[in-house]
């Protein structure tokens, strides 16, 4: 098994960790916001799990994007022509841009929720930014033509 295959499998499996952590962080933040609950250790931990797993996912994605993936590395030399192919353009530009936006939104939500009082405002900021990040992630995932869980 090549390094490309190993990193691609890890990137695929970690997607589910990111999605589950993001969904849990959003649900918990919404429940805290709408239920006017105190900010708890679990709220902080879910935000950390979401942003941490997203950071690791971005690192693996950049390794694929810049070094290992034949889709991207093979098309850098003729970028203009690659932009004419929707599938290649998705991986060269769109997937990367959307995921960078998602990472920024998730980190903004975590950072802004730490800097404000009362707890209701913490939950509100976390809910809004984590939800926007999760929506971006869902939009940016290549769902069609790819296995939902790649193990080989």
């Amino acid at each position: 098994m090549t390094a490309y295959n190993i990193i691609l499998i890890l990137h695929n499996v970690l997607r589910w960790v990111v999605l589950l952590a993001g969904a849990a962080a959003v649900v918990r933040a919404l429940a805290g916001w709408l239920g006017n609950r105190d900010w708890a250790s679990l709220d902080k931990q879910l935000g950390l799990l979401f942003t941490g797993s997203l950071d690791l996912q971005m690192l693996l994605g950049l390794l694929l994007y810049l070094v290992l993936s034949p889709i991207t590395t093979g098309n850098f030399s003729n970028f203009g022509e690659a932009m004419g192919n929707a599938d290649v353009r998705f991986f060269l530009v769109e997937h990367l841009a959307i995921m960078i936006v998602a990472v920024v939104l998730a980190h903004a939500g975590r950072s802004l929720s730490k800097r404000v009082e009362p707890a209701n405002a913490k939950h509100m900021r976390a809910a809004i930014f984590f939800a926007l990040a999760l929506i971006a992630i869902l939009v940016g995932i290549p769902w069609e033509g790819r296995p939902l869980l790649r193990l080989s």
Side-chain angles (χ1 to χ4, degrees):
M1 188 173 292
T2 66
Y4 169 69
N5 290 338
I6 292 168
I7 300 301
L8 188 60
I9 290 167
L10 291 172
H11 191 64
N12 179 276
V13 171
L14 188 56
R15 156 183 42 180
W16 297 106
V17 174
V18 169
L19 289 173
L20 290 172
V26 168
V27 167
R28 178 84 182 179
L30 279 172
W33 180 19
L34 301 175
N36 206 21
R37 289 186 299 107
D38 286 337
W39 185 262
S41 176
L42 182 58
D43 300 308
K44 179 181 176 183
Q45 291 171 350
L46 285 173
L48 180 61
L49 178 62
F50 181 41
T51 56
S53 61
L54 195 51
D55 288 346
L56 181 56
Q57 182 73 329
M58 178 62 89
L59 179 64
L60 293 174
L62 286 173
L63 186 57
L64 287 167
Y65 183 82
L66 297 171
V67 180
L68 299 173
S69 174
I71 295 171
T72 55
T73 57
N75 285 291
F76 282 140
S77 61
N78 197 348
F79 201 75
E81 184 177 318
M83 291 298 96
N85 181 322
D87 291 332
V88 174
R89 183 182 60 243
F90 176 80
F91 286 104
L92 278 179
V93 178
E94 297 164 10
H95 181 67
L96 176 66
I98 291 168
M99 294 309 175
I100 289 171
V101 167
V103 169
V104 168
L105 287 167
H107 277 280
R110 185 158 183 268
S111 178
L112 292 171
S113 66
K114 288 194 293 188
R115 297 179 187 184
V116 70
E117 293 293 335
N120 196 41
K122 287 180 180 286
H123 287 296
M124 179 188 72
R125 288 181 179 187
I128 290 169
F129 282 92
F130 290 167
L132 290 172
L134 192 56
I135 290 167
I137 292 165
L138 289 168
V139 167
I141 289 176
W143 295 105
E144 292 183 28
R146 300 273 183 212
L148 291 178
L149 186 61
R150 181 186 308 262
L151 298 175
S152 62

